Amino acid sequence: MKIEIQESAKKDLKKLDISQAKKILFQIKNLENYPNLSNIKKLKNHYPPLRYRIGNYKVF
């Protein structure tokens, strides 16, 4: 699976504490291992169709 981070997400990550941002980026890179991950929920009638929870944050 190819992972792309949108510019708006990059801006949001810059606003976070550096340790939090690194944790989130590391977990986003782990999405390449999908479907062998926990904390992923399929969404109904929504695009993108998946939500990935990383601590207090959600990645769509």
Side-chain angles (χ1 to χ4, degrees):
M1 175 186 302
K2 182 179 176 185
I3 305 298
E4 293 182 19
I5 299 175
Q6 295 180 348
E7 289 299 319
S8 60
K10 290 178 184 178
K11 285 183 182 180
D12 291 340
L13 285 171
K14 287 180 183 179
K15 295 177 186 177
L16 296 176
D17 180 52
I18 197 148
S19 63
Q20 289 266 335
K22 284 182 180 181
K23 178 182 174 184
I24 292 171
L25 285 173
F26 177 76
Q27 292 296 328
I28 289 173
K29 291 197 182 263
N30 281 339
L31 285 173
E32 293 174 350
N33 297 326
Y34 178 79
N36 299 329
L37 296 171
S38 61
N39 298 331
I40 291 186
K41 180 179 179 182
K42 289 188 178 184
L43 303 174
K44 295 180 182 177
N45 300 324
H46 192 274
Y47 184 82
L50 299 172
R51 179 197 77 198
Y52 184 39
R53 182 175 286 278
I54 303 170
N56 293 332
Y57 300 96
K58 296 176 186 172
V59 177
F60 293 93

